[in-house]
Amino acid sequence: MVFARKEHEFLSEIGLSSRNLGCYVDGTWKANGPVVTSVNPANNQAIADVVEGSIEDYEEGMRACSEAAKIWMQVPAPKRGEIVRQIGDALRTKLQQLGRLVSLEMGKILPEGIGEVQEIIDMCDFSVGLSRQLNGSVIPSERPNHAMLEMWNPLGIVGVITAFNFPCAVVGWNACIALVCGNCVVWKGAPTTPLITIAMTRVVTGVLEKNNLPPAIFTSFCGGADIGQAVAKDTRISLVSFTGSSKVGQMVQQIVNQRFGKCLLELSGNNAIIVMDDADILLAVRAVMFAAVGTAGQRCTTCRRLLLHESIYQRVLDQLLDVYKQIKIGDPLGKGTLLGPLHTSESRKSFERGIEIIKSQGGKILTGGSVIESEGNFVQPTIVEISPNADVVKQELFAPVLYVMKFQNLQEAIEINNSVPQGLSSSIFTRKPEVIFKWIGPQGSDCGIVNVNIPTNGAEIGGAFGGEKATGGGREAGSDSWKQYMRRSTCTINYGNELPLAQGINFG
């Protein structure tokens, strides 16, 4: 186990040991499921063991959570915001350790690991302000001596199922807002990042304990598909927020819909960057490189398709190929590393299978295209010249593979951008206002995120995050996303002595 190594002593600072119980149930760490081993993707060596939860653990946790919800929803929203503020402060004290853990267990480079935890801290700050702005509307009534208004009340319990690529940021998006809205949170972390689930839970629940609040306000489980299915089926959970593939997300949605629950989906992306003939090419090349290679291509907002105007095609491509030669590949905790490993050995195999499919459909490998022989799950950053009509281009290959293609005019570029099933993020590089406003307008990009002169990744928490089509239609983080975590009532109050009806109806 890595606990024997001096460079990993920080793990004990965030409450981890060589063997960990993977469920936080009503204030107690426990688990009765199978034992799994967390693995470092940079060398496939064991980090620590985790005992996963069982369905019995889940049921016990949900009973406690249901009781805690009755208490938490009655706490005034600004007081709930104060608790979230304290969670943000607690995360600040463990920022470096949690960031290193994200890099160690997930495989993203250290600046991204620290940045992911910082994103939760920022989300806490956002939610504290939000706790005083959960405002409804006062609506003019057409009836005399009547008042109409909207009331927003908590849902009760929010279930959050997160993915490996952002093992803690996504629960931050959901939990911070869910908590200030008066909901309890039940979190099922990704099966391959259980240590992050445990460490994050320790920080959050430590704040609850310090404030003498019911510990079941925040409940978490390390576990497999059985726990995820239980969350989807559970009628006590009013909203299920799921992050993952479109295929699994569709299954989750069907299960939740059958019980008339609410679903918030953040699914696959197949994101394009368009570079027009008037673009700042140096700016575009830098943006494309990070968007395509960052997190080893394992972001839902990763740039997977690069659309270049035919007049600048070769110029941009030559610069990009030159930049790719300078990418430092290696230990994600190492200084200067830009590209870490894929998360699992199975991801590495999927990359190899994907390259074979690409070649069979006419794709030309311009650089990369191979795995790197090592103990870890490393692959070469890859650029492929291919037709936008190839079937493989319509699919999401979760790896640092970038498809490059030409276009002749803006209309053609927009059609290519919109031609895939997914609709998460998109970007265009241009200086022309008429191009910009067509791109962000009704005949432009059909994605939920539509950028100009910045890459497809790197969304800010102040704006609603999510996408259309097979991306699921959900919205998390900023703007008015909080409304998904509450139920709305339209209330009409008669403060007079008569009973007039709407629309002038009179029964005499």
Side-chain angles (χ1 to χ4, degrees):
M1 295 293 180
V2 299
F3 280 81
R5 303 178 195 168
K6 184 175 177 57
E7 63 266 30
H8 295 128
E9 289 179 349
F10 75 92
L11 294 171
S12 60
E13 298 175 19
I14 45 179
L16 299 172
S17 62
S18 59
R19 186 178 177 89
N20 306 273
L21 298 176
C23 300
Y24 186 77
V25 174
D26 197 20
T28 302
W29 286 97
K30 63 189 302 180
N32 295 287
V35 177
V36 298
T37 300
S38 176
V39 175
N40 178 358
N43 54 27
N44 282 319
Q45 293 181 357
I47 304 174
D49 289 335
V50 174
V51 184
E52 292 188 326
S54 65
I55 292 299
E56 290 73 23
D57 296 320
Y58 174 81
E59 284 300 325
E60 182 180 347
M62 284 304 302
R63 286 193 293 270
C65 189
S66 298
E67 292 304 310
K70 299 174 185 176
I71 298 171
W72 182 240
M73 67 173 56
Q74 296 183 64
V75 175
K79 300 294 185 184
R80 300 192 297 252
E82 165 59 17
I83 300 303
V84 173
R85 185 195 66 78
Q86 292 181 35
I87 292 171
D89 285 348
L91 287 168
R92 283 181 174 91
T93 67
K94 301 294 184 182
L95 172 61
Q96 296 297 321
Q97 297 95 322
L98 289 169
R100 289 183 69 83
L101 175 58
V102 172
S103 296
L104 177 67
E105 189 174 36
M106 185 273 152
K108 62 178 60 176
I109 61 174
L110 184 57
E112 290 188 87
I114 294 172
E116 179 168 348
V117 181
Q118 182 62 49
E119 196 167 331
I120 311 172
I121 295 170
D122 295 344
M123 198 70 221
C124 287
D125 291 346
F126 175 90
S127 300
V128 173
L130 179 65
S131 69
R132 294 181 182 271
Q133 300 179 67
L134 303 173
N135 304 326
S137 300
V138 176
I139 306 163
S141 174
E142 67 180 69
R143 290 171 281 187
N145 298 322
H146 281 60
M148 289 177 64
L149 61 137
E150 290 180 343
M151 286 290 294
W152 292 91
N153 288 302
L155 291 172
I157 302 176
V158 171
V160 184
I161 303 174
T162 56
F164 75 85
N165 60 332
F166 280 86
C168 60
V170 174
V171 75
W173 295 352
N174 284 275
C176 291
I177 293 183
L179 289 172
V180 299
C181 287
N183 304 299
C184 289
V185 174
V186 175
W187 177 28
K188 180 202 171 296
T192 51
T193 55
L195 299 179
I196 296 168
T197 302
I198 295 168
M200 272 293 301
T201 300
R202 287 190 179 279
V203 173
V204 174
T205 56
V207 172
L208 297 176
E209 292 168 9
K210 186 176 71 174
N211 286 273
N212 297 313
L213 288 165
I217 289 171
F218 192 93
T219 302
S220 70
F221 301 98
C222 297
D226 57 338
I227 301 294
Q229 290 172 359
V231 170
K233 293 177 180 178
D234 199 328
T235 56
R236 293 167 292 191
I237 297 178
S238 299
L239 169 68
V240 176
S241 175
F242 173 85
T243 302
S245 69
S246 295
K247 180 180 179 181
V248 178
Q250 190 173 52
M251 294 167 56
V252 170
Q253 185 176 47
Q254 290 171 351
I255 294 170
V256 175
N257 284 349
Q258 284 176 354
R259 61 176 178 83
F260 296 103
K262 297 174 68 176
C263 218
L264 196 166
L265 301 175
E266 297 290 356
L267 310 177
S268 305
N270 193 349
N271 316 295
I273 291 179
I274 296 170
V275 183
M276 298 297 293
D277 54 352
D278 70 313
D280 181 331
I281 290 178
L282 181 59
L283 182 68
V285 168
R286 289 174 57 203
V288 170
M289 190 272 290
F290 177 66
V293 174
T295 325
Q298 296 169 116
R299 287 178 179 239
C300 53
T301 53
T302 291
C303 177
R304 308 205 181 277
R305 298 176 294 145
L306 176 59
L307 284 53
L308 302 175
H309 191 277
E310 59 182 3
S311 67
I312 58 167
Y313 180 84
Q314 200 59 50
R315 183 179 165 197
V316 175
L317 190 54
D318 288 345
Q319 290 192 31
L320 193 59
L321 289 168
D322 185 59
V323 169
Y324 264 53
K325 294 175 185 176
Q326 303 171 43
I327 293 171
K328 183 179 178 181
I329 306 170
D331 181 0
L333 289 166
K335 188 176 181 180
T337 300
L338 184 62
L339 177 61
L342 293 177
H343 182 54
T344 64
S345 56
E346 183 54 41
S347 301
R348 195 169 182 253
K349 294 174 184 175
S350 295
F351 170 84
E352 291 184 285
R353 290 193 295 268
I355 293 297
E356 291 306 311
I357 295 171
I358 288 166
K359 291 177 179 177
S360 71
Q361 295 185 12
K364 180 183 177 183
I365 308 296
L366 301 181
T367 188
S370 300
V371 300
I372 297 174
E373 295 304 325
S374 67
E375 293 180 338
N377 308 319
F378 294 94
V379 301
Q380 296 175 338
T382 302
I383 298 177
V384 178
E385 201 170 44
I386 196 168
S387 166
N389 298 318
D391 289 341
V392 71
V393 174
K394 305 294 193 292
Q395 302 161 13
E396 183 186 43
L397 178 58
F398 225 50
V401 177
L402 178 65
Y403 302 120
V404 183
M405 51 203 75
K406 294 179 185 177
F407 67 88
Q408 294 181 330
N409 53 57
L410 176 62
Q411 186 58 41
E412 181 186 6
I414 292 173
E415 289 174 359
I416 295 172
N417 177 79
N418 296 351
S419 66
V420 297
Q422 307 84 358
L424 178 53
S425 186
S426 57
S427 183
I428 195 168
F429 281 76
T430 182
R431 297 184 182 93
K432 296 178 180 177
E434 64 270 27
V435 172
I436 292 172
F437 283 98
K438 180 168 184 180
W439 172 242
I440 66 175
Q443 294 183 312
S445 171
D446 64 359
C447 297
I449 298 170
V450 184
N451 292 335
V452 179
N453 294 330
I454 62 169
T456 51
N457 55 352
E460 296 184 35
I461 58 100
F465 178 90
E468 302 299 322
K469 302 189 297 187
T471 301
R475 293 296 186 276
E476 292 172 326
S479 186
D480 64 348
S481 297
W482 63 270
K483 293 180 178 180
Q484 296 166 111
Y485 300 85
M486 304 194 82
R487 60 179 179 85
R488 172 165 53 182
S489 303
T490 301
C491 308
T492 306
I493 302 168
N494 180 0
Y495 55 88
N497 298 317
E498 298 182 358
L499 195 64
L501 301 178
Q503 292 84 46
I505 296 174
N506 189 348
F507 282 102

